[in-house]
Amino acid sequence: MTNLKVVLFCMFIILVTNNVLVNGANEDRKVYIIYMGSLPEENYSPQSEHISILQQVLGDDFDTNHLVRNYKRSFNGFAAKLTDQEVKNIGRMRGVVSVFESKQLELHTTRSWDFLGLQETTKTSPIESDMIIGVFDTGIWPESESFDDEGFGPPPKKWKGTCAGGKNFTCNNKIIGARYYSENVSARDSVGHGTHTASTAAGNKVKGTSFYGIAEGTARGGVPSARIAVYKICDDSQCSDAAVLAAFDDAIADGVDLISTSLGSKVQRNFTEDPLAIGSFHAMEKGILTVNSGGNEGPLKGSTASLAPWLFSVAASNTDRRIIDKISLGNGVTLTGQSVNSFTPNGTKIPLVVGENVLRQGSDCVGTPSASACLVDCLDPKQVEGKIVVCSSTSALDTAIENGAYGSIIQYDQNMSVVVPIPTTILDTNTYTIAHSYANSTTSPQAEILKSETINDPNAPSIADFSSRGPNAIISEIMKPDITAPGLEILAAYPPILTPSGNPQDKRSSKYNFISGTSMACPHVAAIAAYVKSFHPDWSPAAIKSSIMTTSTPMKGTDDKEYAYGSGLVNPVKAINPGLVFDLCKGDYINLLCNIGFDTPKIRKLSGENSTCPSLTPQRSTVRDFNYPALAIHVKPNQPFVFNFTRTVTNVGFANSTYKVHVRKSSHLKIKVVPRVISFKSLNEKQSFVVKVVGGKFPDKSVPSSSLEWTDGTHNVRCPVVVDVSK
Ligand SMILES: *[C@@H]1O[C@H](CO)[C@@H](O)[C@H](O)[C@H]1NC(C)=O
Ligand SMILES: *[C@@H]1O[C@H](CO)[C@@H](O)[C@H](O)[C@H]1NC(C)=O
Ligand SMILES: *[C@@H]1O[C@H](CO)[C@@H](O)[C@H](O)[C@H]1NC(C)=O
Ligand SMILES: *[C@@H]1O[C@H](CO)[C@@H](O)[C@H](O)[C@H]1NC(C)=O
Ligand SMILES: *[C@@H]1O[C@H](CO)[C@@H](O)[C@H](O)[C@H]1NC(C)=O
Ligand SMILES: *[C@@H]1O[C@H](CO)[C@@H](O)[C@H](O)[C@H]1NC(C)=O
Ligand SMILES: *[C@@H]1O[C@H](CO)[C@@H](O)[C@H](O)[C@H]1NC(C)=O
Ligand SMILES: *[C@@H]1O[C@H](CO)[C@@H](O)[C@H](O)[C@H]1NC(C)=O
Ligand SMILES: CC(=O)N[C@H]1CO[C@H](CO)[C@@H](O)[C@@H]1O
């Protein structure tokens, strides 16, 4: 049975594996990535080296068409079409770090900025217009008002990119660069996702936007003066690892300040076989933070695949603006459901029919659950036409319109509203039962489906059910996701040639549309990172990430706790003034990789330096001392534990300052911090402390958590402590 998530996420592209059959050859060749780490410094021609490796491995079968892409601007490697045997041989070649098949990735207004405290009047940095956000997505709709360049000067001097957007695509001083890696002819967005995310991050302020009058107001990105560089890595059918790596290779060399990538793999992959981990590692080396959506696989525990410690992984919450949709039944009862329904009724109530009572004659659905669900081919169009059909599944979002219904009433338990193609409201099970029994047991039942309205949700923020959950499947000591931002019912720019509901029979067109997903949360954080960087251009990616995490607003309300929302909900205004940061440099990441089992040869290729791992066996204890702005640990059920974590903070607040630590009371964990007071005499001074975490016996699947907070009276530097108890 279709569920709403599937309906919703069909916008988020699901792709087929690249399975290319080479002309004339009988063997199956697939596209593989041959990743070769950092670029060697001098006298090295990556392209000829790649060809030479291919020639050696392919021998007589060598054909330049087998070389798909070179990665040569920011790191070393290539993509090639290879057979299984060739893959084995190429893996043994000198210089090769990893070989993996290029697989499919999924793509995972603007009240959200006010909700986060970033008002139109909030102070901005004079160099905000120097910030360049690289958006890796489905392209962009360059004609949207959100990307108009009125008032923008020429691109910042540091920009080394280009406008290679292809056919009928022009850049301007807002969209300063465009490249595409898909089979399509241009960087133009034919999906909608990329236009939406780019405008959420850096769209202009556009007054009087709404979706057919719903949620009317000013649409704006978080950093409306920033520039956008478009890297189109997906279109309708293709969003491959090979393209993701190509975009990183270019974006890093082009000189973007930040990368926003609202996509990912459904399955967890080792860092050397994960294009997002590889690309963002090399971005980090160059001082570029990569922000990534955590995925839409929630609420399943351990479902997030955004795991690298140098990635900034984002969970999705709602905001205080929700969209609801009411129906008024013929008996005077009004029910409230969820949907983005732009249709205004004319005051005449419409007849209601129950799905299982209006089946096609001879349909296989009779007497099966498919009948009440209104699955494809169940309904009789003659009995449905012009009526409101009552159905127990979200399949009816499509089958109602296909059968000529006026509208539908659908049963589904959820906490989000999706754009519907005809008048429709989605009811939770209890409410649906009321509507169903009225429709099933009344003579001439009828109803009026009202246009959607916005309401205030005083309980916001709550984490979205679909938002992927931690813990981190590769390094349990690195908390994931890292942070939460709004990702529910986000109104942002959209290509007007597309249908807003995704149903081809929906003939509406809107320049702004509602979408939900961690994909929408990601550009919020990318914008905030750009906002922070515009005040602190010299900060490392880790310092920017730390400042956003430690100043976030604590959240609650899910069993998974920090493994659902990370440090908490972003607070952009506080993030520019964090007081202390947990900084990290490339060497710290290299040490971490050594400690989880990478050997010296692999580390050297990755880093391009003569780094050596300590000749010890991997050390879990030192993994705990990795200077992450969160403390996470995995323990087995019913085993008491004591762990020490060492952290080092860098003073970025007042030169002379004294911070005291405060530990959140927790009945579960005993936390001791030594020392309890740290003092600084100058900016950029570092101080270390040790956190001792003691726990008793916890049952399987529990998530004891707490936090500690350093404060000097002005700044609050909060660091969560979370334990994954599982077998
Ligand atoms: C370029 O694309 C825009 C938007 O789809 C369209 O309106 C215009 O006609 C196109 N121009 C050409 C020359 O194809
Ligand atoms: C390429 O883009 C055009 C419009 O921009 C769209 O109609 C078409 O479906 C896209 N093709 C693919 C293969 O995605
Ligand atoms: C990841 O690497 C480990 C150790 O090298 C290996 O055992 C494991 O199979 C790899 N996992 C995947 C998904 O490739
Ligand atoms: C109201 O809308 C319904 C459904 O589209 C239509 O059948 C009816 O004639 C309309 N009534 C008036 C008064 O316009
Ligand atoms: C709907 O009405 C029919 C006929 O009155 C009845 O047999 C059936 O049990 C009712 N269904 C429900 C779910 O109440
Ligand atoms: C690594 O060490 C070797 C031998 O000491 C030296 O030739 C080479 O230049 C060094 N490479 C780098 C990147 O420092
Ligand atoms: C943990 O830290 C505490 C406080 O600094 C210290 O007394 C204790 O010896 C440490 N334990 C271990 C195992 O390092
Ligand atoms: C820091 O405090 C000390 C002692 O109170 C004082 O002498 C010094 O001038 C202060 N430094 C700054 C930069 O405020
Ligand atoms: C936070 C919130 O509103 N959660 C609700 C989401 O939807 C499910 C099913 O309708 C409810 O049980 C939750 O309470």
Side-chain angles (χ1 to χ4, degrees):
M1 244 200 270
T2 347
N3 63 29
L4 190 60
K5 210 182 272 182
V6 173
V7 173
L8 174 67
F9 296 144
C10 61
M11 291 178 201
F12 298 175
I13 302 184
I14 297 179
L15 299 154
V16 246
T17 316
N18 215 336
N19 205 343
V20 186
L21 201 65
V22 173
N23 289 346
N26 287 327
E27 9 167 35
D28 251 348
R29 285 178 182 274
K30 294 182 203 154
V31 176
Y32 284 85
I33 314 281
I34 296 85
Y35 172 53
M36 301 172 69
S38 286
L39 280 168
E41 294 208 332
E42 279 152 32
N43 301 331
Y44 184 85
S45 157
Q47 215 152 346
S48 47
E49 180 70 17
H50 302 159
I51 288 176
S52 150
I53 290 177
L54 260 192
Q55 276 171 335
Q56 287 176 58
V57 171
L58 270 60
D60 290 346
D61 288 340
F62 177 78
D63 176 339
T64 47
N65 289 327
H66 293 333
L67 181 63
V68 177
R69 270 181 207 293
N70 296 107
Y71 309 115
K72 53 179 198 266
R73 301 182 69 198
S74 303
F75 53 89
N76 195 11
F78 58 101
K81 294 173 190 165
L82 302 174
T83 62
D84 292 348
Q85 187 54 45
E86 289 160 1
V87 168
K88 283 197 191 109
N89 295 340
I90 214 162
R92 297 191 201 107
M93 302 289 287
R94 210 164 57 87
V96 173
V97 175
S98 58
V99 182
F100 55 97
E101 192 183 333
S102 177
K103 297 217 190 79
Q104 69 216 34
L105 292 164
E106 299 204 321
L107 288 171
H108 296 209
T109 287
T110 40
R111 166 72 198 147
S112 52
W113 289 113
D114 295 285
F115 177 63
L116 296 175
L118 197 63
Q119 321 284 349
E120 276 188 67
T121 50
T122 306
K123 75 164 173 178
T124 54
S125 156
I127 63 158
E128 183 173 302
S129 64
D130 284 352
M131 291 296 125
I132 306 167
I133 302 185
V135 181
F136 292 12
D137 214 300
T138 61
I140 201 164
W141 192 261
E143 290 82 12
S144 168
E145 286 163 81
S146 289
F147 310 125
D148 194 295
D149 70 348
E150 201 189 314
F152 280 82
K157 289 212 176 61
K158 66 185 175 193
W159 176 241
K160 295 195 279 294
T162 178
C163 185
K167 215 172 118 193
N168 191 21
F169 189 103
T170 36
C171 295
N172 59 18
N173 286 330
K174 175 79 187 179
I175 301 175
I176 59 170
R179 298 177 186 274
Y180 62 98
Y181 307 93
S182 52
E183 282 170 5
N184 218 325
V185 292
S186 84
R188 184 174 291 281
D189 183 4
S190 54
V191 177
H193 193 272
T195 302
H196 201 276
T197 56
S199 65
T200 299
N204 296 323
K205 292 177 188 172
V206 183
K207 289 211 176 82
T209 55
S210 70
F211 180 71
Y212 291 94
I214 301 169
E216 184 151 13
T218 300
R220 64 189 161 103
V223 277
S225 305
R227 321 292 180 123
I228 295 166
V230 177
Y231 298 86
K232 179 176 175 174
I233 51 179
C234 320
D235 50 33
D236 297 359
S237 58
Q238 198 107 70
C239 184
S240 67
D241 287 357
V244 171
L245 281 172
F248 274 108
D249 193 35
D250 280 331
I252 297 166
D254 287 348
V256 302
D257 287 287
L258 285 144
I259 292 169
S260 182
T261 59
S262 289
L263 65 136
S265 163
K266 268 194 178 176
V267 293
Q268 286 116 4
R269 300 202 258 169
N270 281 338
F271 297 152
T272 51
E273 296 173 9
D274 174 349
L276 286 167
I278 293 169
S280 60
F281 178 86
H282 294 290
M284 173 275 293
E285 285 185 304
K286 298 279 157 43
I288 304 163
L289 178 62
T290 303
V291 186
N292 183 212
S293 44
N296 300 333
E297 303 303 314
L300 185 69
K301 205 169 169 192
S303 50
T304 184
S306 181
L307 303 175
W310 47 85
L311 271 178
F312 203 3
S313 310
V314 187
S317 73
N318 61 7
T319 72
D320 60 352
R321 181 189 69 197
R322 294 298 321 278
I323 297 169
I324 56 150
D325 195 37
K326 291 181 179 164
I327 41 168
S328 160
L329 301 180
N331 61 4
V333 171
T334 298
L335 303 175
T336 301
Q338 301 189 73
S339 66
V340 181
N341 172 26
S342 70
F343 304 96
T344 309
N346 62 10
T348 311
K349 285 202 164 46
I350 308 291
L352 282 179
V353 290
V354 174
E356 63 258 38
N357 297 343
V358 288
L359 299 179
R360 221 162 28 84
Q361 213 161 19
S363 144
D364 299 341
C365 308
V366 178
T368 73
S370 307
S372 59
C374 305
L375 295 194
V376 177
D377 293 339
C378 292
L379 297 174
D380 174 11
K382 284 202 247 15
Q383 297 185 67
V384 169
E385 194 181 345
K387 313 239 169 70
I388 295 173
V389 60
V390 179
C391 301
S392 66
S393 101
T394 53
S395 297
L397 281 172
D398 293 320
T399 57
I401 188 172
E402 281 157 14
N403 284 282
Y406 162 87
S408 59
I409 294 173
I410 289 173
Q411 173 188 12
Y412 191 68
D413 288 305
Q414 43 120 27
N415 311 94
M416 71 180 155
S417 293
V418 295
V419 173
V420 290
I422 51 173
T424 296
T425 189
I426 297 171
L427 305 177
D428 66 30
T429 299
N430 291 339
T431 315
Y432 178 82
T433 307
I434 299 168
H436 184 276
S437 88
Y438 165 74
N440 193 42
S441 62
T442 312
T443 335
S444 318
Q446 50 183 15
E448 182 177 40
I449 302 180
L450 303 177
K451 184 175 174 177
S452 287
E453 52 190 294
T454 54
I455 56 157
N456 180 269
D457 180 355
N459 297 320
S462 309
I463 203 79
D465 290 340
F466 60 72
S467 189
S468 288
R469 306 298 205 258
N472 191 321
I474 295 181
I475 316 180
S476 54
E477 291 84 350
I478 304 295
M479 180 185 75
K480 290 286 171 178
D482 294 305
I483 195 78
T484 297
L488 206 85
E489 298 158 15
I490 304 299
L491 182 66
Y494 207 68
I497 48 147
L498 298 179
T499 156
S501 66
N503 187 301
Q505 290 182 42
D506 179 1
K507 299 301 174 207
R508 291 171 300 168
S509 157
S510 180
K511 291 175 180 172
Y512 291 84
N513 193 17
F514 285 100
I515 323 185
S516 297
T518 53
S519 285
M520 284 64 239
C522 173
H524 279 90
V525 175
I528 294 165
Y531 184 65
V532 172
K533 193 170 182 183
S534 73
F535 286 93
H536 307 285
D538 55 334
W539 281 9
S540 70
I544 293 172
K545 182 170 157 180
S546 168
S547 69
I548 295 171
M549 287 170 73
T550 62
T551 58
S552 65
T553 309
M555 288 178 61
K556 45 186 184 320
T558 85
D559 295 341
D560 303 307
K561 300 183 189 162
E562 280 77 3
Y563 294 129
Y565 41 70
S567 287
L569 182 75
V570 284
N571 183 331
V573 174
K574 284 193 174 162
I576 60 174
N577 191 12
L580 304 175
V581 293
F582 295 80
D583 207 356
L584 286 162
C585 63
K586 180 176 164 190
D588 297 314
Y589 292 109
I590 297 287
N591 282 340
L592 178 71
L593 294 176
C594 290
N595 284 319
I596 64 164
F598 279 64
D599 57 15
T600 296
K602 218 172 203 179
I603 287 293
R604 287 193 173 172
K605 283 176 210 153
L606 265 175
S607 67
E609 289 164 7
N610 281 344
S611 329
T612 43
C613 284
S615 59
L616 304 166
T617 48
Q619 297 257 322
R620 224 56 210 188
S621 62
T622 46
V623 177
R624 280 201 299 280
D625 296 339
F626 181 72
N627 206 30
Y628 215 64
L631 310 183
I633 195 79
H634 165 256
V635 300
K636 292 218 150 48
N638 303 311
Q639 275 184 16
F641 57 88
V642 182
F643 290 116
N644 274 5
F645 298 79
T646 305
R647 289 292 183 273
T648 301
V649 283
T650 306
N651 181 22
V652 296
F654 304 125
N656 261 354
S657 50
T658 297
Y659 284 81
K660 291 186 182 133
V661 75
H662 171 81
V663 174
R664 195 179 83 206
K665 287 235 176 346
S666 158
S667 51
H668 303 294
L669 299 173
K670 285 202 194 72
I671 295 176
K672 197 177 153 202
V673 183
V674 179
R676 298 187 57 82
V677 176
I678 48 180
S679 292
F680 299 89
K681 292 270 168 289
S682 62
L683 287 177
N684 298 317
E685 187 183 336
K686 292 179 190 291
Q687 294 287 352
S688 296
F689 58 92
V690 175
V691 184
K692 184 177 169 192
V693 181
V694 182
K697 296 179 176 177
F698 291 108
D700 192 19
K701 299 189 172 72
S702 57
V703 184
S705 88
S706 181
S707 66
L708 53 100
E709 188 167 286
W710 291 100
T711 179
D712 65 348
T714 303
H715 306 98
N716 296 299
V717 186
R718 194 175 48 88
C719 178
V721 180
V722 59
V723 185
D724 164 38
V725 186
S726 61
K727 289 191 186 107

